[in-house]
Amino acid sequence: MARRCWRRRALAAACLGAALLLLCSTPQALRSAFESSAVGTSWFGGKRRSPLQMLYDLDQGPRSALAEVHRRRRELLHRACSRHTQQQRLLRPEDLRHVLVDDARGLLYCYVPKAACTNWKRVLLALSGRGPGDPRAIPAPEAHAPGRLPSLADFSPAEVNRRLRAYLAFLFVREPFERLASAYRNKLQRPWGAAFQRRFGADIVRRLRPRPSPDALARGHDVRFAEFLAYLLDPRTRRDGPLNEHWERAHALCHPCRLRYDVVGKFETLAEDAAFVLGLAGVPGLRFPEPPPGARAAARDRAERLFRDISPFYQRRLFGLYKMDFLLFNYSAPSYLRLR
């Protein structure tokens, strides 16, 4: 099973004009890539195998329980993509904007906002030497500053292809409705979200609230959760362009059915999955920043409270909008939803 899984892995990408088309490699090409000393030593001065080779090694022998979990997630994602996606357009360079590159370690990380992406950016800055060695010492604004970490979209097609063939690619996802509730709270409710409130909140109020006050129109500071969801479901929102990254679907940010991902981490098992990735990267001693005790349970409770007052009709429509994230990443609909 493991060998068949890895043989299906998309190791090659071909350039077609400005677009990228992923191709499946032959078993011999796969074997050569992993056995090549050039691939195995280019980031580590010949001292250790690359993260991708480390994962390949794990899949060839007796697996730990965690390695088996990640093998199953890869298989589930592959099967879901085969079952639920049809012919798709070719990737464009801008589709790779969320895939961050660590050339020193041989890593590709697709960041999904509200799924621990701030802490992953801190970790990548620490690993690359662009920040303090302790990720917790890096302020959040610095972690998100444009240009601090290179994106796969910054490279030429040939350079993109080389990294797609040889680097370990991973992403972290989160139960879609909990992530949505977190985005609303962080960007449209909290005082430090003033910039988002003026940009998005004011538009939501203008579009959806009858007789809004001048203050609400100017500041957008008091958007209700029901108004936010109505904005997401409004056809005009999609016509205006892609959703903002904080509430865009994870599959639309990371394209997991067109890009190969070796590790699918989950916010719900963040500590274990982060340790797994850092172990493959050769830095098992680096401690991933942990959320405060009780934060996960509190976020889940907040999401349930927010959705409790949303009608079943809107819950069903919203589930339809985020359905592919549920399917691809093997999430069940939250028990508090009334979808029937």
Side-chain angles (χ1 to χ4, degrees):
M1 176 66 74
R3 190 172 297 277
R4 289 200 301 272
C5 175
W6 281 94
R7 284 177 180 176
R8 286 197 300 265
R9 180 177 173 273
L11 274 180
C15 173
L16 184 61
L20 295 171
L21 174 63
L22 296 186
L23 304 174
C24 291
S25 65
T26 66
Q28 182 58 45
L30 173 63
R31 191 175 302 112
S32 298
F34 283 113
E35 293 175 354
S36 164
S37 61
V39 170
T41 63
S42 57
W43 309 292
F44 302 102
K47 295 180 180 179
R48 62 170 293 119
R49 293 168 73 75
S50 75
L52 189 56
Q53 287 176 315
M54 295 282 286
L55 184 60
Y56 179 74
D57 291 346
L58 285 179
D59 268 12
Q60 302 315 298
R63 299 185 194 93
S64 67
L66 191 54
E68 177 62 18
V69 164
H70 286 285
R71 185 200 66 80
R72 281 199 211 125
R73 286 182 187 172
R74 289 194 302 272
E75 283 289 298
L76 284 168
L77 177 58
H78 175 81
R79 289 202 300 268
C81 286
S82 299
R83 188 178 303 124
H84 299 294
T85 60
Q86 299 175 349
Q87 187 175 4
Q88 304 179 71
R89 64 171 176 79
L90 299 176
L91 285 174
R92 300 184 296 259
E94 56 265 31
D95 294 324
L96 307 177
R97 183 62 57 191
H98 272 246
V99 182
L100 304 179
V101 179
D102 181 352
D103 282 324
R105 296 279 168 182
L107 300 172
L108 298 175
Y109 163 58
C110 184
Y111 71 92
V112 177
K114 311 312 300 176
C117 80
T118 300
N119 283 335
W120 269 115
K121 288 180 179 181
R122 285 172 166 144
V123 166
L124 292 181
L125 286 171
L127 288 177
S128 65
R130 295 182 175 92
D134 183 353
R136 294 168 295 183
I138 302 174
E142 185 177 332
H144 292 297
R148 290 303 309 276
L149 291 164
S151 161
L152 202 54
D154 298 332
F155 297 92
S156 70
E159 292 172 322
V160 168
N161 295 342
R162 180 173 66 83
R163 288 167 174 82
L164 288 175
R165 286 194 300 269
Y167 287 14
L168 180 95
F170 69 99
L171 77 164
F172 272 70
V173 294
R174 185 175 184 178
E175 190 275 297
F177 279 24
E178 185 180 306
R179 177 176 167 246
L180 199 56
S182 177
Y184 166 74
R185 180 171 182 265
N186 187 257
K187 298 302 179 183
L188 294 173
Q189 269 197 323
R190 293 290 188 86
W192 56 74
F196 260 79
Q197 292 163 7
R198 287 191 299 271
R199 181 180 175 188
F200 294 101
D203 186 47
I204 293 171
V205 169
R206 184 179 304 107
R207 185 187 299 184
L208 297 170
R209 186 179 300 176
R211 298 182 297 280
S213 70
D215 189 41
L217 280 172
R219 297 169 57 198
H221 63 296
D222 60 350
V223 172
R224 306 178 188 104
F225 189 57
E227 292 174 327
F228 172 58
L229 299 186
Y231 165 78
L232 295 179
L233 294 169
D234 188 338
R236 292 172 292 180
T237 303
R238 299 313 306 273
R239 284 200 299 268
D240 291 344
L243 295 175
N244 178 266
E245 62 178 11
H246 291 84
W247 40 83
E248 179 63 280
R249 289 77 50 87
H251 77 272
L253 297 174
C254 295
H255 311 285
C257 294
R258 284 176 284 172
L259 291 175
R260 170 269 313 161
Y261 286 96
D262 306 294
V263 177
V264 178
K266 293 195 171 186
F267 188 80
E268 294 76 16
T269 51
L270 178 60
E272 302 94 320
D273 295 345
F276 184 71
V277 172
L278 293 174
L280 294 173
V283 284
L286 182 65
R287 188 171 181 180
F288 190 85
E290 297 179 5
R296 276 283 299 115
R300 192 166 51 245
D301 291 345
R302 278 194 298 269
E304 182 172 357
R305 286 197 303 272
L306 284 170
F307 278 101
R308 190 180 297 150
D309 296 329
I310 303 302
S311 72
F313 173 76
Y314 276 101
Q315 288 183 6
R316 287 192 294 269
R317 288 189 61 197
L318 199 68
F319 184 82
L321 182 61
Y322 287 87
K323 185 176 181 179
M324 282 302 294
D325 278 2
F326 282 97
L327 293 172
L328 295 178
F329 303 117
N330 197 32
Y331 281 108
S332 300
S335 59
Y336 54 77
L337 294 183
R338 294 159 290 165
L339 298 179
R340 294 183 180 178

